[in-house]
Amino acid sequence: MSLRVTAVERVTLHVPFRERSRPWNEILVAEFAVVEVVRVRTNAADLVGYGESLPHYTWARTTDETVARVVGRHPAEVMADDTLGAGLQMALYDVAGKALGVPVHALFGQPVVRRWCPLAWWSTKMPPEVLAEEAKDALAEGYLAHKLKARPWFDVHEQVAAISAVTPEHYELDLDWNGMLRTPGEAIEVLRRLDRQPRVRMYESPVLQSDVAAQRAVRARAGRPVVEHYNAALFPEWMRQDAIDGFVSCNAGVSGTIAQGLRAAAFNKDLFLQIVGPGLTTAWTLHLGAVLTHARWPAVTCLNVYADDLLTEPIEMRGGYGRLPEGPGLGVTFDEAALERWRVPDGFTPVLPRRLLSFHLGDGRVRHYAGIKQLFEECRYVGNLPVQPSGASLGVRDDDGSAAFDALYRRAQAAPVWE
């Protein structure tokens, strides 16, 4: 009997965040909690594949059209198609591996180079004292690398100092500005000071991604690797000018990710995988990391933000590394009971209260914003605020129903308000 896909089921879940990170995640990435689970059934009743993705974030979504393309086909005929949607592609590889009795990484066409893959803890924009508690948890759970979002509205030097106070020197930090240090002159002043901190491992996106000249200038002066998200259009210029040290590989399926890894390897550039989701996604990332020679930096899946990994047994972490699953398919078991624990209607989006953000610049000035996107745009593009002010902090105030809140929020919606 030839194996065939007979049905594809999609279930939307709202998976809770861990409580300490929840308020900070909700400021910008509340939709990370929405997970779509894809279950692929076949004409062999005991062969079922599982995948998952974040429908508000992933590079490609599973749709009725992509489902129609795979039903009636052998999983191996279609699984390499990156346009199918992240969850569906993952589920097809999972069921194909189970059918053949081999792990997913055996289907990638590349030899295994590591069976323990480095993984990083992930934190969004948070105060120093919260980051320190996160770092304690990371150490307790077997992590030795930590990616965090550096922003003007928190003092990055205070953040690094707080984490350093509770971690050993071999605990590594990836500081990600998403371009918010803007120019080489502004960036280098910040980075040269951070160079003196032993835990700082790399500088991710310190200046705008498209500014290759700025990246080259920063790389020439900074004492840590300068890292950028892979961009096919910019790749030739980056390599010609030797402007960056390595890449973040994300927003691509199997074929795209392997192609990025091979191109990086051809120029001896390291990379880390960034594929966001709970347990199935983390197992998937380990399979990819196992075959990419230059995926030597800790991968980011944000597994640590979830209160439930959606697996019956957790992925093993030890000494900063996750163990490569060796069983057939993804090599992990999806927790079917989670489908009922966290199920929500299709198309679900978290509803959050109105929220005022108050940027304390550390010098007595305070500026109010009606949401993080407004604050992000002013700091990154408008450019009339300092890139990394000393003593900066962010106040967060939810709608309390008062007339005073409503008045200030409405003013801030029109334009940021100086206090």
Side-chain angles (χ1 to χ4, degrees), residues 138-156:
L139 280 172
E141 295 181 32
Y143 291 81
L144 287 173
H146 195 159
K147 171 172 172 172
L148 61 105
K149 295 291 189 178
R151 292 293 184 264
W153 49 90
F154 288 116
D155 187 325
V156 69

Side-chain angles (χ1 to χ4, degrees), residues 116-232:
W116 288 84
C117 302
L119 285 177
W121 193 269
W122 181 84
S123 294
T124 189
K125 291 74 57 186
M126 293 178 175
E129 63 275 12
V130 178
L131 285 173
E133 294 303 311
E134 288 287 299
K136 289 179 186 178
D137 283 353
L139 280 172
E141 295 181 32
Y143 291 81
L144 287 173
H146 195 159
K147 171 172 172 172
L148 61 105
K149 295 291 189 178
R151 292 293 184 264
W153 49 90
F154 288 116
D155 187 325
V156 69
H157 306 290
E158 292 180 357
Q159 291 175 313
V160 171
I163 292 172
S164 298
V166 297
T167 58
E169 279 201 9
H170 56 276
Y171 191 85
E172 298 177 349
L173 299 178
D174 164 11
L175 305 180
D176 179 12
W177 280 274
N178 290 105
M180 285 196 174
L181 293 183
R182 294 193 303 237
T183 66
E186 293 169 300
I188 289 166
E189 180 181 359
V190 177
L191 302 185
R192 292 296 292 273
R193 181 177 170 189
L194 288 167
D195 283 347
R196 299 194 290 268
Q197 300 299 323
R199 288 162 189 77
V200 175
R201 169 68 180 272
M202 67 181 73
Y203 301 132
E204 183 180 340
S205 303
V207 293
L208 294 179
Q209 185 190 56
S210 59
D211 195 343
V212 179
Q215 290 154 354
R216 185 178 181 185
V218 170
R219 185 182 182 224
R221 298 285 302 279
R224 300 288 189 275
V226 175
V227 184
E228 258 303 340
H229 285 243
Y230 183 89
N231 182 300

Side-chain angles (χ1 to χ4, degrees), residues 93-107 115 283-284 286-287 323-333:
Y93 269 93
D94 184 41
V95 76
K98 289 173 178 174
L100 293 169
V102 299
V104 160
H105 61 257
L107 306 177
R115 297 191 181 276
W284 175 253
L286 291 170
H287 285 288
R323 183 193 288 272
L324 174 66
E326 294 288 2
L330 287 171
V332 293
T333 303

Side-chain angles (χ1 to χ4, degrees), residues 21-101:
S21 64
R22 179 192 57 77
W24 303 101
N25 293 337
E26 287 181 349
I27 291 174
L28 181 62
V29 294
E31 292 173 343
F32 277 15
V34 181
V35 179
E36 181 177 78
V37 175
V38 178
R39 185 164 49 189
V40 168
R41 297 194 182 275
T42 68
N43 56 343
D46 59 334
L47 288 178
V48 180
Y50 292 87
E52 69 188 10
S53 68
L54 308 188
H56 298 287
Y57 180 75
T58 184
W59 79 88
R61 301 181 185 183
T62 300
T63 65
D64 292 344
E65 186 274 329
T66 59
V67 168
R69 273 196 271 148
V70 307
V71 171
R73 308 282 295 277
H74 192 292
E77 289 184 89
V78 290
M79 64 189 185
D81 182 353
D82 288 350
T83 70
L84 291 177
L88 179 54
Q89 185 177 52
M90 190 186 302
L92 289 169
Y93 269 93
D94 184 41
V95 76
K98 289 173 178 174
L100 293 169

Side-chain angles (χ1 to χ4, degrees), residues 302-417:
C302 303
L303 173 66
N304 61 278
V305 306
Y306 295 99
D308 188 343
D309 63 6
L310 309 183
L311 301 178
T312 58
E313 295 291 334
I315 288 167
E316 183 179 354
M317 283 292 302
R318 189 181 301 173
Y321 294 84
R323 183 193 288 272
L324 174 66
E326 294 288 2
L330 287 171
V332 293
T333 303
F334 180 75
D335 181 6
E336 288 276 348
L339 295 179
E340 298 310 316
R341 275 201 302 274
W342 312 122
R343 185 191 294 260
V344 291
D346 293 345
F348 173 84
T349 301
V351 177
L352 301 173
R354 295 191 303 174
R355 188 165 280 152
L356 273 167
L357 303 179
S358 300
F359 180 6
H360 297 256
L361 276 72
D363 57 7
R365 292 180 294 169
V366 182
R367 194 151 169 82
H368 302 289
Y369 300 83
I372 193 67
K373 292 182 179 179
Q374 188 186 45
L375 174 56
F376 188 101
E377 290 294 312
E378 182 164 68
C379 289
R380 188 179 187 191
Y381 298 115
V382 177
N384 59 350
L385 294 172
V387 297
Q388 202 69 80
S390 179
S393 64
L394 187 71
V396 182
R397 179 182 170 193
D398 286 352
D399 189 348
D400 58 7
S402 67
F405 180 96
D406 184 69
L408 182 55
Y409 186 86
R410 290 177 184 276
R411 286 178 60 204
Q413 278 185 305
V417 177

